[in-house]
Amino acid sequence: MADTSNLLDEYVIQGGVTMLALVPLSMYTLSIIIQKSLELRRKKIVSEELIQAAKAVKDQKSYQVFYASLKNNPSLLATIIQDYIDEAERGESTDPKENLVPIDHQAEILYQSLSPISTAYIIGPLIGVLGTTVGIMATFRQFAIAGKRDMAALVSAIDKSLITTMWGLIIAVPAYFAYALLQNKIFDYERKILPKAIAEMMPNLKPYITSKK
C-alpha cells in the first residue's frame, strides 16, 4: 500500500493541476481504443450468417424475407447490402469492381469514428508540455524570489515539472499506434473483405430487385 501511495504521489500528484486533465484523458483514450477494437471485430462488421442467407435466396418471397431481416441485423454488411439494393433500384451497378460508393461511404464513417483517438494523441503531448512549461516557469520564479542557488532543489523541481510531459507521451504513443492499426483494419475491410462479400452476395439477389427508375 505504501508503494502505491508513493507512486501516486510521485507520478500523479506532483504533476500539478495539469494532471486533472491528463489522467481523465488517459482513461478516456484507453476506453475508446478498447471500444473501437471491439466494434471493428470481423464478426461485428461481416456476418457470415448474412452471407449464407443471401446465397440461399431462391425466389421473390425468400428475397423479401431476407430484405426485411437486414433492418434488424446490426452488422455493417447489412447496411451496405441495403445501400447496394437502393443503388440497384436506381439502375446503378451492384458490382463492387464498378461501384464502391456504398462501401466507401460506410468506411468513411468508420474512419471518422476514430477521430477521438487521433485527437487524444495530438492534444495529450500538448497538455503535457503546457504543464511542464508552467511548472518550470513557477520554479524559476520561486528561485528568483528566494535568491538561492540550490541545484539539488532546482533539479528536483524540474523533474516534477516533466511528469506532465511523460504523461502526455504515455497517452500519445499507444493512441497513435492503436489509431494506425485500426485504420489499417478499416482499409482492409474497405478494399478486400467487404467487396469480396458483396461480390458473393449481390449476383444472387439482383434478379429479385425491382427497378424504380
Side-chain angles (χ1 to χ4, degrees), residues 77-88:
L77 182 59
T79 303
I80 293 173
I81 294 170
Q82 291 182 75
D83 291 343
Y84 267 106
I85 290 175
D86 291 341
E87 294 267 304

Side-chain angles (χ1 to χ4, degrees), residues 39-206:
E39 288 178 356
L40 290 174
R41 290 179 299 169
R42 182 166 180 142
K43 67 179 182 180
K44 287 283 188 179
I45 303 295
V46 181
S47 169
E48 293 297 330
E49 292 81 4
L50 188 60
I51 295 174
Q52 296 306 316
K55 292 180 178 180
V57 171
K58 57 183 183 299
D59 52 37
Q60 194 66 37
K61 183 178 179 180
S62 59
Y63 168 75
Q64 292 298 333
V65 171
F66 172 79
Y67 184 75
S69 71
L70 294 176
K71 297 179 181 179
N72 298 320
N73 194 305
S75 73
L76 183 68
L77 182 59
T79 303
I80 293 173
I81 294 170
Q82 291 182 75
D83 291 343
Y84 267 106
I85 290 175
D86 291 341
E87 294 267 304
E89 290 176 346
R90 294 193 297 267
E92 301 292 337
S93 173
T94 59
D95 185 351
K97 292 182 179 179
E98 300 174 0
N99 180 13
L100 276 172
V101 172
I103 294 176
D104 287 344
H105 175 68
Q106 296 301 324
E108 183 60 30
I109 294 174
L110 291 180
Y111 284 125
Q112 290 176 4
S113 73
L114 300 181
S115 60
I117 301 177
S118 65
T119 301
Y121 76 67
I122 291 172
I123 69 171
L126 295 179
I127 295 174
V129 170
L130 174 63
T132 295
T133 303
V134 171
I136 289 176
M137 289 174 64
T139 298
F140 285 140
R141 188 180 301 115
Q142 290 174 3
F143 271 78
I145 294 173
K148 296 180 180 179
R149 296 183 179 181
D150 188 340
M151 291 304 297
L154 178 61
V155 170
S156 177
I158 293 175
D159 181 61
K160 293 176 182 179
S161 298
L162 289 171
I163 290 173
T164 57
T165 296
M166 178 193 73
W167 270 85
L169 293 175
I170 287 174
I171 294 170
V173 173
Y176 183 83
F177 185 68
Y179 182 78
L181 286 179
L182 293 173
Q183 269 201 324
N184 287 339
K185 181 174 284 191
I186 294 172
F187 184 80
D188 198 41
Y189 283 132
E190 182 184 13
R191 289 293 177 255
K192 296 178 183 178
I193 298 173
L194 288 170
K196 181 181 177 182
I198 292 298
E200 291 177 5
M201 301 166 71
M202 291 311 299
N204 197 47
L205 300 175
K206 190 174 180 180

